[in-house]
Amino acid sequence: KIETLMNDINNYGILFNTNKEWQRLRLQRTNLFTALDTPAKFKSYFEEEVDSINAAMGRLSMLIERAESTPQKERILESSAFQKDFANL
């Protein structure tokens, strides 16, 4: 729970609970999880999430391969923006 709290603070700020975007996202997630009332619905949701993660990892892999084939490879892979995004992923 602390990790979730810290993630919300990092994404939405210290007063994240007053952030309308966070509130909408939280309500959306709550509604989604209450709708998963059968094993079949949960399985379907879980498979969609895994597919989404696999697609994101595939895109990331392609970007890393492209970065490795450029002369600026080290600069790209060592940039703070890339490292931050990679760590968040």
Side-chain angles (χ1 to χ4, degrees), residues 36-78:
L36 300 176
D37 55 356
T38 67
K41 287 181 182 178
F42 177 78
K43 181 180 184 258
S44 174
Y45 169 76
F46 185 76
E47 288 174 347
E48 287 176 21
E49 288 297 309
V50 169
D51 289 343
S52 175
I53 291 168
N54 284 334
M57 294 302 291
R59 288 190 302 269
L60 181 61
S61 179
M62 285 183 355
L63 289 173
I64 290 173
E65 288 174 14
R66 286 186 199 163
E68 288 178 340
S69 65
T70 65
Q72 300 91 1
K73 170 187 165 184
E74 292 301 318
R75 195 179 84 204
I76 292 171
L77 296 177
E78 291 177 2

Side-chain angles (χ1 to χ4, degrees), residues 4 6 13 16 20 26 32 44 48 58 60 62 77 80 84-86:
T4 302
M6 293 308 295
F16 68 91
K20 294 296 181 191
R26 186 77 174 167
L32 174 68
S44 174
E48 287 176 21
L60 181 61
M62 285 183 355
L77 296 177
S80 62
K84 180 182 175 188
D85 289 343
F86 190 79

